[in-house]
Amino acid sequence: MKIEKASDMGFCFGVRRAIKLVERAAQERGPIQTLGPLVHNKQVVDRLAGYGIGAVTHLDELQHGIVAITSHGISPESKAMIESRDLEVIDTTCPFVHKAQAVAQRLGKAGYWVLVYGDAGHSEVRGVLGWAGTNASACLTVPQFDILPKRLGILCQTTQNQERFAEFAAQIVSSELHRFTEVRIFNTICDATRKHQAAALELAEKVDLVFVIGGQDSANTRHLAEICTNAGVTTYHIENALGIDYSWLRGHNHIGITAGASTPDEVINEVVAALHTFNKTSKQEVHNEKR
């Protein structure tokens, strides 16, 4: 059984930066609270807890001390509420998310309706909508535009599937362009997402089974799994080595490994090691049966 890893996967720049910022701050100044999980990966969140870095769900749970804004960012209203509570703020918002926020803010101030292609319930998208102002919405399917103004600005959640965003924007242009005097489209998908997705597709075209490693609530990890599945290869989304059902490997000889942007190297290595151990054990069992 051959095991092959994607050429680009795992921790992205934004995640590494966020983790380094909060770890350094915790070592120098003590316990830190994050508004929501710093990244969407349970192993990372559990490890950070050992440094005194804990997550809270709501603003009302924040106590005096240091609070970190996560890599997904927040709305300006939420940031103002944090600052009004006399809390020290460490902003770990990913630079690519900052870019999307700036685009949304600029469009909103210029009088555009801001349409974000993304999951409206995701923390990143909620934050971007906050920067856009009151005339903004998010969706994953083309909405009804009857109540919208004549100028439309379209951007994307940074971790969305690039091909689907292109299809979404193209559908609006082809079927709804007559409703607007101006449509502006901004590709705000981050570089790491583009590279991960391209590498996942390249891998899926070579192997006969793919394990996509990452948190079940990680949007970018789910999109990697979708890309591999759509490429026609058997695909399983697992959080770690414990998620492997070894019966899945029957009949498969070339196993691909990829991972989301918030999946640490040690979790990827554990999955690879578990597959190598299974392969070695299986070969030994076959050898013993032949003796």
Side-chain angles (χ1 to χ4, degrees), residues 122-222:
H122 192 280
S123 54
E124 176 195 320
V125 176
R126 293 197 306 269
V128 170
L129 290 175
W131 287 95
T134 55
N135 294 326
S137 58
C139 58
L140 291 168
T141 57
V142 175
Q144 296 295 320
F145 288 114
D146 293 341
I147 62 171
L148 300 189
K150 293 296 183 179
R151 303 169 79 200
L152 178 68
I154 305 171
L155 60 148
C156 188
Q157 183 179 350
T158 61
T159 55
Q160 278 294 332
N161 182 304
Q162 184 163 247
E163 182 178 348
R164 290 190 178 179
F165 174 55
E167 292 171 353
F168 175 83
Q171 187 177 351
I172 291 175
V173 171
S174 63
S175 64
E176 304 289 344
L177 187 60
H178 64 282
R179 296 176 180 265
F180 305 101
T181 58
E182 186 177 359
V183 175
R184 301 189 67 185
I185 301 170
F186 294 83
N187 184 359
T188 49
I189 295 175
C190 78
D191 286 346
T193 294
R194 283 193 286 266
K195 291 177 181 178
H196 283 188
Q197 291 180 1
L201 180 59
E202 180 184 8
L203 180 71
E205 292 172 344
K206 295 189 291 183
V207 303
D208 53 29
L209 183 148
V210 176
F211 284 111
V212 181
I213 311 167
Q216 295 296 329
D217 56 353
S218 167
N220 72 86
T221 306
R222 290 198 304 271

Side-chain angles (χ1 to χ4, degrees), residues 230-259:
N230 292 339
V233 64
T234 301
T235 303
Y236 296 101
H237 179 178
I238 60 174
E239 290 199 352
N240 50 45
L242 296 177
I244 301 172
D245 182 338
Y246 292 97
S247 67
W248 295 337
L249 300 174
R250 291 173 189 156
H252 297 287
N253 298 309
H254 194 176
I255 311 301
I257 302 291
T258 188

Side-chain angles (χ1 to χ4, degrees), residues 29 63 199:
R29 289 177 277 176
Q63 301 174 3

Side-chain angles (χ1 to χ4, degrees), residues 76-96:
E77 292 80 12
S78 294
K79 189 172 184 179
M81 289 180 66
I82 292 173
E83 292 171 343
S84 70
R85 299 185 181 205
D86 198 28
L87 295 164
E88 182 180 350
V89 177
I90 299 173
D91 190 350
T92 77
T93 303
C94 171
F96 287 100

